[in-house]
Amino acid sequence: MKIYAKKFNIFEYIITVILSVILSLSIFVGLNFNVSILGIIFLSSVFVALLTFLFKRPQLIIAFLSLFILVDLYYFYMKKDVLTKVVVDIDRYINWLYIYMGETNWPDGFSQLTSRYFLTTVILGIFVVALAITFLNSILKSYFLTMLFGILVLVFQWYNYIDKAYTYLIFYIAASFINMSINYYQKAGNGKASIVSLLVISIVFSSISTAIAYALPKSFQPVVWKSMNDKFYTTFPFTKTWRNGIGVEGTTTTFSTDFGSFSQDLGGPESVSDQIVMRVKADESTYLRGEVFDTYENNRWTNSEIQHNFGNGNYFPPAFSKGIKYTIRKLEIYPVAMNTNIIFSPWQPYHVSINNIYDKSSLALISMGRRIKSPYVVEYYKPDISVKDLENDKTVASDDMKRYLQYPDNLPERVKELALSITKDKKTDYDKVKAVEQYLRNTYKYNLDVPETPPGRDFVDYFLFDLKQGYCTYFATSMVIMLRTIGIPARYVVGFKMPPPPIFGDNYDIKASYAHAWVEVHFQNSGWVTFEPTAIYSETFSQAAGANIGTPSSTQPNTNTGNVAMPKTNVNQNKMQDNIVKNQAGNNIITRRNMYTTIIIIWLLITLALAIAAAIKYVLLKKYLDSNKNAYVYYYNKILKSLGKRGLRKDDSETTIEYQERVMSAGFKDFDRVTKVYNDLAYGNVEPSKDDVVYIKEYLKRNIRNRKSLA
């Protein structure tokens, strides 16, 4: 009997490992991970053995969880920087997995990050699968739930993005039926039936499983439940691009439509999207130029001419004076969810790692392919230009700058009059540019939810004199046109505004909502310099163009990372001033926020650990008490423990009969019946009846726990 029990425990272990291996293989095929099957078998075997050992010893799990909490608290109080870094790394890993699952063309453009998280994902994936299968199959011994769990995972994979999951589904169902047949054989045969019976049962169940798997539909139209679909896609937006997802209207990604809208008709409400479109590895936060426009007509931006040139070794000479000192900086861009051939780069690019076609005058770059899918490196100039340099510089309306002085003939005259009134007292061109910039930043409200421009109205005129609120395209277009009316060459630029630097590392996640529009003004010596008229952004002067302007004396930088896709809200002047005040203590705010985040995470981890420990204890205790023998011993020990707290502790040298007499003399009647059943079990191997278990359980409740004293 003992030999057979040991043999079947080995069978149970082996089948649990097999089920875990099948599920893990399917998951890694879905992730496009090239994982050795021997490695999966090894890790699954180790994890199943370890988890089986721990699950049957819940006290060890509680001890490990307690140790984890103590270590966590130690790092929280003694080394918060280490704990914060761990939390940030976990957040980055989750974010990477989110992006990776949503990228339809991985590993293109994401291979370096994938290699970084490859081993972590493999180990964590196998562990989670082994945890679920071991708990269901070896602890709960719910073989049907084991099969159902795997089927749900595999059908989900197959239905959404991986055809091979269907093959794994067949093998998993077959293994699950063999798993159930072993259990049936063990119970029915009681260790005496021949091994042939087991093989016959396994073959029958395996045949049934194969027939069921092949009978599953392989091509069908999914059932659409719109309200539920909307909620699901809102919660898990990356599933839109899976095989049976709804896709993204009008394009394969959400990016191309959002970005292209900048160069289309201006005005109207703007929608938001928090989808991550690329990841940038850089040592500073800057502007990433995408397209540059020179012609404003009929409330839209276009280009009068584009001088197409092929990159000469992909290197570009500086557009500023030779007397200006500069350094060369570098950043790496990893496309994630972009359907574009635009090469994004800070101004001014020095070298890009992919072949390109560029506009000679604006250095707006596009790749020679239809879509950029692989990572690329951009090196760019960082000129050393100060505010004093710009004040001593001037703009020149030369022939090659005429395209940047254009504005519509029918532009209302009051736009020019406003620009003149703002700049009439300014002596230098730089002061005039800053005056227009500051006027827009301080006068108008930021708001995404604005109406369309009325028919027959000019976009700039309507914004400046009637609407008086809008988002970045309103501010940038108005600044460019106002400067042009007073003879200062300026151009309209669209791209992305990178968020503030991360707390740790140098990886920036660029969301579609970071798309932005700004202004570049041309100075004779300094070249094109970036200005920021949109008030919710930090006042950059020309830092984003690579110039080292220094810290402005009148305002503090605003670290708000919002852009055209900020949440739909009116940002009034008081709110802006509040942000400026808050940013003066930016470091303290970040520190407090990190502390609060860390406290919340620790609290959640502790709660989760306690919940897991309680669940494990409940499940194991319930399983343990299914046996009358175990249940009776359990409640007898409970009685001894309770009596010990009342001064009736059983001595080691005391027999059960002697202890019984002492307890009964203390006023606990009928304790002799409790002792008799226990003695019959302990010394006569007589298993208690169900009634005996019910009696001792009620005795514990009625005579021990509910009795307040020994009297």
Side-chain angles (χ1 to χ4, degrees):
M1 180 72 177
K2 292 182 180 179
I3 295 176
Y4 280 108
K6 183 177 181 180
K7 186 176 182 180
F8 279 114
N9 284 336
I10 293 175
F11 273 134
E12 183 182 77
Y13 167 75
I14 292 174
I15 200 68
T16 303
V17 171
I18 291 173
L19 293 171
S20 300
V21 168
I22 294 172
L23 271 189
S24 298
L25 275 172
S26 178
I27 290 172
F28 295 134
V29 168
L31 289 172
N32 203 29
F33 275 17
N34 185 19
V35 186
S36 167
I37 187 172
L38 293 179
I40 295 177
I41 293 173
F42 172 76
L43 287 176
S44 296
S45 302
V46 171
F47 285 143
V48 169
L50 179 63
L51 290 167
T52 301
F53 176 80
L54 290 176
F55 275 134
K56 293 183 178 180
R57 294 160 179 82
Q59 65 275 13
L60 287 180
I61 297 179
I62 295 174
F64 285 139
L65 290 175
S66 301
L67 179 62
F68 171 78
I69 293 171
L70 290 174
V71 172
D72 202 31
L73 290 174
Y74 167 76
Y75 277 98
F76 175 72
Y77 285 107
M78 305 300 295
K79 298 183 178 181
K80 291 184 180 180
D81 55 333
V82 176
L83 184 61
T84 304
K85 187 177 186 304
V86 170
V87 173
V88 170
D89 287 341
I90 293 173
D91 178 70
R92 285 179 178 171
Y93 173 73
I94 294 173
N95 193 38
W96 166 83
L97 187 61
Y98 176 90
I99 299 171
Y100 192 83
M101 290 296 291
E103 169 59 24
T104 56
N105 292 284
W106 39 250
D108 290 342
F110 222 54
S111 57
Q112 294 189 28
L113 290 171
T114 300
S115 61
R116 175 182 175 182
Y117 293 124
F118 179 85
L119 185 60
T120 302
T121 306
V122 169
I123 294 175
L124 184 62
I126 295 175
F127 176 80
V128 170
V129 170
L131 177 67
I133 298 298
T134 303
F135 184 72
L136 292 172
N137 202 61
S138 301
I139 305 304
L140 288 184
K141 296 190 182 298
S142 180
Y143 307 105
F144 177 77
L145 285 180
T146 303
M147 180 173 67
L148 181 62
F149 169 76
I151 289 175
L152 289 175
V153 172
L154 292 167
V155 168
F156 178 78
Q157 282 188 291
W158 169 61
Y159 178 76
N160 284 290
Y161 59 90
I162 170 174
D163 290 319
K164 288 184 180 179
Y166 177 76
T167 304
Y168 291 108
L169 177 64
I170 296 174
F171 283 104
Y172 188 87
I173 294 176
S176 296
F177 274 117
I178 293 175
N179 184 34
M180 287 189 285
S181 68
I182 291 175
N183 176 57
Y184 174 80
Y185 171 79
Q186 183 178 12
K187 288 184 177 179
N190 197 25
K192 297 179 181 179
S194 65
I195 195 67
V196 176
S197 302
L198 173 60
L199 294 176
V200 170
I201 295 171
S202 300
I203 291 171
V204 171
F205 279 130
S206 298
S207 301
I208 294 173
S209 71
T210 304
I212 292 174
Y214 275 111
L216 289 173
K218 301 168 185 62
S219 178
F220 59 90
Q221 293 296 325
V223 177
V224 178
W225 184 0
K226 190 176 186 309
S227 60
M228 185 61 70
N229 281 6
D230 292 342
K231 292 179 181 178
F232 182 82
Y233 288 128
T234 300
T235 307
F236 307 104
F238 56 88
T239 60
K240 290 181 180 180
T241 58
W242 286 358
R243 178 171 62 189
N244 287 288
I246 62 173
V248 180
E249 183 178 355
T251 181
T252 56
T253 70
T254 61
F255 171 71
S256 61
T257 299
D258 291 345
F259 189 77
S261 66
F262 281 101
S263 58
Q264 303 302 314
D265 294 337
L266 297 169
E270 183 64 47
S271 59
V272 300
S273 172
D274 280 332
Q275 179 173 350
I276 296 176
V277 295
M278 62 180 163
R279 174 165 285 183
V280 178
K281 184 177 182 180
D283 57 6
E284 65 176 346
S285 177
T286 184
Y287 287 74
L288 299 176
R289 301 164 84 250
E291 294 182 281
V292 182
F293 299 97
D294 60 32
T295 302
Y296 171 72
E297 289 283 356
N298 300 319
N299 293 343
R300 60 186 282 127
W301 280 103
T302 57
N303 278 308
S304 58
E305 61 175 315
I306 299 178
Q307 304 174 30
H308 280 155
N309 298 269
F310 290 92
N312 181 18
N314 299 335
Y315 287 91
F316 308 96
F320 44 82
S321 172
K322 293 182 179 180
I324 294 178
K325 297 180 181 180
Y326 64 86
T327 57
I328 301 295
R329 297 290 186 92
K330 182 177 72 172
L331 55 78
E332 301 172 22
I333 295 180
Y334 301 84
V336 174
M338 293 192 295
N339 185 25
T340 183
N341 62 350
I342 294 174
I343 299 172
F344 293 94
S345 165
W347 177 260
Q348 173 196 354
Y350 162 70
H351 173 256
V352 294
S353 63
I354 53 178
N355 292 330
N356 60 84
I357 304 171
Y358 66 95
D359 178 4
K360 186 176 181 180
S361 61
S362 66
L363 280 187
L365 306 170
I366 61 173
S367 72
M368 302 182 74
R370 294 184 62 186
R371 178 187 177 189
I372 301 175
K373 298 186 290 184
S374 301
Y376 57 93
V377 177
V378 175
E379 295 177 276
Y380 59 97
Y381 296 97
K382 178 87 172 180
D384 184 14
I385 302 173
S386 66
V387 172
K388 185 177 181 180
D389 293 331
L390 290 175
E391 289 175 337
N392 293 328
D393 207 343
K394 61 181 179 178
T395 63
V396 178
S398 58
D399 289 342
D400 59 344
M401 287 291 114
K402 285 184 178 179
R403 59 193 293 197
Y404 300 114
L405 292 171
Q406 174 273 339
Y407 58 89
D409 294 335
N410 60 350
L411 181 73
E413 187 66 22
R414 60 179 179 174
V415 174
K416 181 177 181 179
E417 292 173 354
L418 177 62
L420 288 171
S421 66
I422 295 171
T423 59
K424 63 182 180 181
D425 297 328
K426 306 303 177 184
K427 296 181 180 180
T428 68
D429 289 342
Y430 173 76
D431 290 338
K432 292 178 181 180
V433 173
K434 290 302 296 180
V436 173
E437 180 196 58
Q438 291 301 307
Y439 177 81
L440 292 170
R441 291 177 63 89
N442 297 329
T443 306
Y444 301 97
K445 299 178 182 179
Y446 185 93
N447 188 8
L448 286 172
D449 192 10
V450 290
E452 299 283 353
T453 303
R457 291 295 304 276
D458 178 78
F459 174 74
V460 173
D461 179 76
Y462 177 62
F463 168 68
L464 293 175
F465 298 100
D466 296 298
L467 184 61
K468 298 184 179 181
Q469 58 182 330
Y471 40 92
C472 62
T473 59
Y474 286 83
F475 289 87
T477 299
S478 298
M479 181 173 177
V480 171
I481 299 305
M482 291 173 73
L483 290 176
R484 290 181 177 186
T485 62
I486 58 175
I488 296 178
R491 61 190 184 187
Y492 177 80
V493 187
V494 294
F496 288 94
K497 175 69 174 71
M498 292 173 61
I503 300 174
F504 297 104
D506 52 7
N507 292 321
Y508 295 77
D509 290 330
I510 309 301
K511 300 179 181 179
S513 58
Y514 294 168
H516 187 46
W518 61 93
V519 177
E520 288 180 353
V521 178
H522 188 267
F523 290 83
Q524 186 173 17
N525 295 321
S526 304
W528 290 99
V529 178
T530 298
F531 291 90
E532 181 57 79
T534 308
I536 67 166
Y537 296 91
S538 57
E539 189 177 351
T540 58
F541 291 86
S542 54
Q543 288 180 3
N548 183 16
I549 301 301
T551 303
S553 58
S554 59
T555 60
Q556 295 293 329
N558 187 339
T559 58
N560 195 321
T561 61
N563 46 35
V564 296
M566 287 276 292
K568 292 187 176 182
T569 177
N570 293 330
V571 183
N572 55 35
Q573 197 66 27
N574 291 335
K575 183 68 173 293
M576 294 176 189
Q577 295 300 325
D578 289 342
N579 286 338
I580 292 174
V581 172
K582 290 178 182 178
N583 287 324
Q584 292 175 346
N587 292 334
N588 293 334
I589 293 174
I590 292 174
T591 302
R592 289 197 301 270
R593 186 178 300 154
N594 291 339
M595 183 182 69
Y596 296 148
T597 302
T598 304
I599 292 174
I600 292 173
I601 291 175
I602 292 175
W603 178 78
L604 289 175
L605 287 174
I606 293 174
T607 303
L608 179 62
L610 293 176
I612 292 174
I616 292 173
K617 182 178 180 181
Y618 173 78
V619 171
L620 294 181
L621 180 60
K622 189 173 182 298
K623 189 72 178 176
Y624 179 79
L625 296 181
D626 285 343
S627 165
N628 291 342
K629 176 181 177 180
N630 293 339
Y632 199 89
V633 173
Y634 172 79
Y635 289 120
Y636 183 80
N637 288 330
K638 281 279 190 181
I639 290 175
L640 263 59
K641 185 176 180 180
S642 297
L643 290 174
K645 293 179 179 179
R646 296 169 178 268
L648 291 172
R649 183 178 179 277
K650 182 179 180 300
D651 296 331
D652 294 337
S653 60
E654 194 174 20
T655 65
T656 55
I657 298 298
E658 292 172 341
Y659 181 66
Q660 163 197 307
E661 293 175 354
R662 187 156 60 90
V663 170
M664 292 183 67
S665 65
F668 291 91
K669 299 179 180 180
D670 300 326
F671 189 68
D672 52 343
R673 177 179 173 180
V674 172
T675 304
K676 181 180 183 305
V677 176
Y678 177 79
N679 285 341
D680 291 343
L681 168 62
Y683 305 109
N685 200 26
V686 178
E687 186 168 345
S689 65
K690 191 68 176 177
D691 291 339
D692 292 330
V693 174
V694 172
Y695 177 80
I696 192 173
K697 185 177 180 180
E698 289 297 321
Y699 188 90
L700 172 64
K701 180 180 179 181
R702 183 180 64 254
N703 293 338
I704 306 297
R705 290 181 174 172
N706 291 342
R707 186 166 176 176
K708 296 182 179 180
S709 66
L710 296 178

